[in-house]
Amino acid sequence: MALLERRCSERERTDDTETLSCTIEAAQTLHSYTEYIIRIQRGPDPKECWQIVKRYSDFDTLNTILQVSGVAPTLPPKRLIGKLDREFVSQRQRGLQAYLDTLLAQPCLACCENVRRFLDPTSYPDSYTELALQQVSMFFRSEPRWEVLEPLKDIGWRIRKRFFLLRPKDQPKARLLLSWAEVGPDSYLSQKDLQAALKLLPNISHPHLQPIVLAEAGEKSALLVQPFNETGALRDLLCKSRPGEPYLRSCRRKGPGLPLSQLQSFGCQILEALNFLHECGFPYGHLHSGNVLVQGKTCRLTGLENSILGLPPLYRAELASHRRLAAMEVGDVFAFGLLLFELAYGRPPDTIPVETFEPSIPPLVASVLQSILSADAVRSCLPTVPMLLDSPLFHGVPLPRSEKPHLKMTSRLKESLRGLQESTEQRLRRDNREIQQFRRLARAQSLHGSEEERRKRKTLARKKSRQSLNEDPESPLANGATDSTLSSPTTTPSTPTPTGSAPPPPPPLLSPSPTAIATNDSGPARGALLSSIRNFQKGILRSAAVDNPDCDTEGI
């Protein structure tokens, strides 16, 4: 078995799919403007946080860039006069907080490069395109067959992946797609196994997998060459957009879902491709509408290199939040459910898991979605790919004729890919345990500090006190004592000031109270003695005559 190693041991790579949360902690007014101090937290751990300082103009610049999506939230309005007033600054701070909360609640905007760079400028520099150009130029010095035409900016959601339009020099009208990507946080293959896995990709043949022309691995990156699809992906079909347009435009969904016959055909083809990869032991885990290319009535999966490079999937935050979704094959089924929802409704689901399904879709589609995306399915068990192929929705769906599938790998490489899959799933399970731990801690803190919980604790304490009184009638509380008297230390009664009247006679020594006798374990004599000592009063002492004349009795 090849030795698995963490290639990012020198520096921990940032997972671009981790959720970010923001809190505007304060606002400080300077000479002519106001700065807002924002606390950013990555993931569930409160220790993974940092602070940034932004002005309103920074928010306005970001909002202008996001307007192309059509779903950007609304900024608080501008103001020319009185913009430094304390009340207006406080109102604007609340509006900016609502803007950030709405922004990060939308997945297509939360993973956008501009949003990530706005919130985390240290982890997302501006040099990815330049770095990709350098790597591509160095590679094509030894490969004179192709020519780079132009970069394709922002056509994918991945921040650390860049695309270029390529053409062969001997075919001037042909177009190829060149992709360059850094290795991700799940890169566990050694350099030798990484090169062997990438060399395998051009040899994979399947009617519903996009063919790869070239795949090369660098030290910390890789590049691939594949045919450029003029019709785009399923996301372009649903959004009525053209291939090569910025990814943010796909956030605006214009049309309804696909017809039932087209949905069945595309869904069955996707399941056939997933089933082939699972049977061959090739980890995928990157199914979404942007990775399904459409060519007439045929669709093909792309992005096979992502799992080899250790790139996190688009829905990793949802997978890490549910313990049952940690396995990669189960994650593929869950991603297929999200894609099927998108094909049926024309948009992704608003919440995950999905509790209710609109009656506008056929019952066969709703049944499959219920078995994958419902809360009960996510908590218990999801169907497998063969089970979905045998379901009434996809069973017997005719597929276009095509070539015979082919994928052959060595036993060494197969074992290395199995180890890669196990390591990736292990990190998912570890993140799930951390998320559950912080959720329980946050829930306990909120319950402990709430006013209702404090009232419950007081009521419970009173009930316990009443129960103890009913069980022990001899206790001081049963005799009328209060909590304050029980908690105060026992003190000796103060000596009363003598008055002119005759003092009362001393109490009898041999008549202790029944309570003292009942509560004394040493007998009646000891109880009487203790009672006499406790009731002793110094003021009842009288002067006595003595026979010794040398003794001064004055003042006695």
Side-chain angles (χ1 to χ4, degrees), residues 134-153:
Q134 293 176 4
Q135 298 288 333
V136 170
S137 301
M138 292 177 60
F139 172 76
F140 282 108
R141 288 178 183 176
S142 59
E143 289 287 342
R145 294 178 296 169
W146 293 294
E147 179 184 0
V148 178
L149 296 180
E150 59 177 335
L152 301 175
K153 297 183 179 180

Side-chain angles (χ1 to χ4, degrees), residues 333-350:
V333 174
F334 180 75
F336 176 78
L338 296 176
L339 177 59
L340 186 64
F341 186 99
E342 206 169 339
L343 296 179
Y345 291 99
R347 57 174 177 81
D350 298 327

Side-chain angles (χ1 to χ4, degrees), residues 291-309:
N291 277 348
V292 182
L293 303 180
V294 179
Q295 297 174 349
K297 296 182 179 181
T298 305
C299 64
R300 295 182 174 182
L301 300 188
T302 185
L304 299 179
E305 75 281 1
N306 292 333
S307 59
I308 297 176
L309 297 177

Side-chain angles (χ1 to χ4, degrees), residues 331-440:
D332 286 337
V333 174
F334 180 75
F336 176 78
L338 296 176
L339 177 59
L340 186 64
F341 186 99
E342 206 169 339
L343 296 179
Y345 291 99
R347 57 174 177 81
D350 298 327
T351 58
I352 301 174
V354 182
E355 295 297 338
T356 58
F357 299 94
E358 299 176 6
S360 58
I361 62 174
L364 291 178
V365 180
S367 176
V368 175
L369 292 177
Q370 185 77 20
S371 66
I372 300 176
L373 299 181
S374 65
D376 294 337
V378 171
R379 285 193 297 263
S380 57
C381 184
L382 268 63
T384 61
V385 172
M387 292 171 60
L388 292 175
L389 285 171
D390 292 336
S391 64
L393 180 62
F394 300 111
H395 182 71
V397 175
L399 298 178
R401 294 181 179 181
S402 56
E403 69 274 10
K404 184 179 180 180
H406 172 73
L407 173 56
K408 185 178 180 180
M409 68 178 77
T410 62
S411 58
R412 171 191 173 91
L413 181 57
K414 183 178 294 187
E415 196 168 350
S416 299
L417 293 179
R418 187 184 302 113
L420 169 66
Q421 179 175 343
E422 292 175 356
S423 300
T424 304
E425 294 172 355
Q426 184 178 359
R427 191 170 83 93
L428 262 178
R429 294 188 183 94
R430 183 174 66 248
D431 291 351
N432 176 261
R433 289 193 296 267
E434 292 179 359
I435 291 174
Q436 298 301 328
Q437 178 182 357
F438 284 110
R439 282 179 179 176
R440 288 192 295 267

Side-chain angles (χ1 to χ4, degrees), residues 174-312:
R175 294 294 182 268
L176 298 174
L177 182 65
L178 170 66
S179 61
W180 173 90
E182 280 187 337
V183 295
D186 289 321
S187 178
Y188 298 98
L189 290 177
S190 64
Q191 185 69 20
K192 183 177 179 180
D193 292 333
L194 178 62
Q195 293 178 353
L198 290 177
K199 291 292 184 182
L200 173 69
L201 297 181
N203 299 322
I204 299 178
S205 175
H206 192 276
H208 305 302
L209 294 177
Q210 177 73 350
I212 296 176
V213 179
L214 176 70
E216 292 289 339
E219 184 180 356
K220 295 182 180 179
S221 61
L223 59 87
L224 282 88
V225 178
Q226 56 186 322
F228 181 74
N229 190 26
E230 299 288 346
T231 56
L234 275 178
R235 178 182 284 122
D236 300 317
L237 180 64
L238 295 172
C239 301
K240 305 296 188 295
S241 60
R242 294 176 299 176
E245 289 186 344
Y247 168 77
L248 285 178
R249 292 189 179 180
S250 65
C251 298
R252 180 188 301 175
R253 302 304 171 98
K254 299 181 180 180
L258 301 181
L260 179 60
S261 59
Q262 193 176 15
L263 182 146
Q264 288 177 308
S265 178
F266 285 168
C268 189
Q269 294 177 52
I270 294 171
L271 290 175
E272 289 288 349
L274 290 178
N275 192 39
F276 172 74
L277 293 175
H278 292 175
E279 289 179 350
C280 295
F282 190 92
Y284 184 54
H286 294 270
L287 178 63
H288 57 82
S289 59
N291 277 348
V292 182
L293 303 180
V294 179
Q295 297 174 349
K297 296 182 179 181
T298 305
C299 64
R300 295 182 174 182
L301 300 188
T302 185
L304 299 179
E305 75 281 1
N306 292 333
S307 59
I308 297 176
L309 297 177
L311 302 179

